[in-house]
Amino acid sequence: MTSNQTRFRVRYAETDQMGVVYHANYLIWMEVGRVELVRSLGFQYKDLEQNDGLYLSVIEAQCRYVFPACYDEEIIVETSLAKVSSRTLAFSYRISSADPDRLLAEGSTRHIWLNREWKPTSLPESYRSALQVAVNAV
Amino acid sequence: MTSNQTRFRVRYAETDQMGVVYHANYLIWMEVGRVELVRSLGFQYKDLEQNDGLYLSVIEAQCRYVFPACYDEEIIVETSLAKVSSRTLAFSYRISSADPDRLLAEGSTRHIWLNREWKPTSLPESYRSALQVAVNAV
Amino acid sequence: MTSNQTRFRVRYAETDQMGVVYHANYLIWMEVGRVELVRSLGFQYKDLEQNDGLYLSVIEAQCRYVFPACYDEEIIVETSLAKVSSRTLAFSYRISSADPDRLLAEGSTRHIWLNREWKPTSLPESYRSALQVAVNAV
Amino acid sequence: MTSNQTRFRVRYAETDQMGVVYHANYLIWMEVGRVELVRSLGFQYKDLEQNDGLYLSVIEAQCRYVFPACYDEEIIVETSLAKVSSRTLAFSYRISSADPDRLLAEGSTRHIWLNREWKPTSLPESYRSALQVAVNAV
């Protein structure tokens, strides 16, 4: 299974008065992770929307919080493509801090493809085979 | 099981370029819901932090998205206290639009209590019994 | 000059690790304020977008922060329509806490109307006269 | 005047239903810019808070929007330290897209230093001289 690592620093805006990152922001980080995974496979989610009229809609999201992320820490989001079918996608995520190297959270998202009329649709074969490679790779 | 309903309108800031509410915002709405549920039970989460040094930390969050929320819609978050123990809490949420009356999402969160030193701690008996009432109520 | 007051509570998500509301959120609150001002004048910004293809684009925003807003406080946004022309709008805002009654911030935004092709456009006369009333009212 | 450039991609979460970046996010980007400017001068804002109990509070923010930022674009925030005194700081920002190279927005923020008791305070001389160098540099 291919995975992609993307890195960024925690923004002040992402913290809350508990002194750590507000939990909803991890879902935003997962979004950053899956966009970069798709880019690493040779295409861009942006083009799917603009050129193909395909929207990757989230139908389920889940996150288990292990250790709090702190302001200015370097975060690593490791994203894997867990499952691909013609109509759905599933990603899994491992979010950790770089220094110290520590697991912060694990999560997953499930998605369906929608067309411009907001109807469920299938991903064209060319894209699907590119994604399938990522699932099958060891 | 006691539940609390809280209502607000979707903000423009909460939408994304898909034309609907960005999915991470539902976790923020759940937070609004559980704060109002606690208030309806006669105390305030704010006081737990300030006066008792107790922090309700999220250890798991999950959301299933059924229908997209749109800008300016009136949203109803119905929050229930699913489980109370001395050290943990679990809430469940039903998020819907007011007009048309339509289920948008269902979710749940699990929490532990932390003290000012970020150590897991127990909720004092007085609070716990107030919460327990909400779980037992029919 | 007509003004509109809208009220809501500070969300936990809006705080940062300084223990108060993160400053960018005040711009979101201003957005909430101007949408409610427009609603109080008898129409909805949502309809301008959907039915008339008119988008109110921000070209300038400014905020002066006087006193920090805290978690769970009730916030009052008082919004006034400062200026209306065929192509531009200017709003001013007074953000305060309800209890204690205290000024938190003052700000302003300037806007232009864009059409569906993102070209500057004029607001139809019917809407403009409704807005003009709000500026002229004493 | 020393300036610092920092780069990142627009997140999907930062867009709104107008199809471009929601305007309040530019203030978050300015925060990212000034943190990186401070880091480039040899110290970290995080340490000022944790070790010295100094908080850089925003007292004014202003942004002029020139061209909309789009999803997935690479953004460049060029931050300059406009003014340093013992009690205040002022930054200016130039936000542009990398490709095409285009000015998106210009802004500024003014700040005061607060101590742990939320009282205005002076920045220790060692930090101030480091910042002053950045203002004086050509």
Side-chain angles (χ1 to χ4, degrees), chain C residues 16 21-27 65, chain D residues 27-28 31 34 58 61 109:
Chain C
D16 66 24
V21 172
Y22 184 75
H23 67 285
N25 289 309
Y26 289 71
L27 268 63
Y65 302 89
Chain D
L27 269 62
I28 298 176
E31 171 231 302
R34 66 181 171 268
V58 181
T109 56

Side-chain angles (χ1 to χ4, degrees), chain A residues 46-64:
Chain A
K46 173 176 61 175
D47 294 340
L48 287 174
E49 279 201 1
Q50 278 176 16
N51 304 341
D52 300 275
L54 291 165
Y55 297 85
L56 188 59
S57 180
V58 181
I59 56 170
E60 193 164 351
Q62 178 271 339
C63 190
R64 193 171 62 86

Side-chain angles (χ1 to χ4, degrees), chain A residues 47-100:
Chain A
D47 294 340
L48 287 174
E49 279 201 1
Q50 278 176 16
N51 304 341
D52 300 275
L54 291 165
Y55 297 85
L56 188 59
S57 180
V58 181
I59 56 170
E60 193 164 351
Q62 178 271 339
C63 190
R64 193 171 62 86
Y65 301 88
V66 177
F67 198 89
C70 292
Y71 167 58
D72 208 43
E73 276 192 329
E74 190 177 2
I75 300 297
I76 305 170
V77 181
E78 186 174 348
T79 309
S80 304
L81 195 48
K83 204 171 157 187
V84 176
S85 76
S86 62
R87 290 174 169 264
T88 67
L89 273 184
F91 294 91
S92 63
Y93 311 86
R94 199 182 177 279
I95 298 175
S96 53
S97 57
D99 179 25

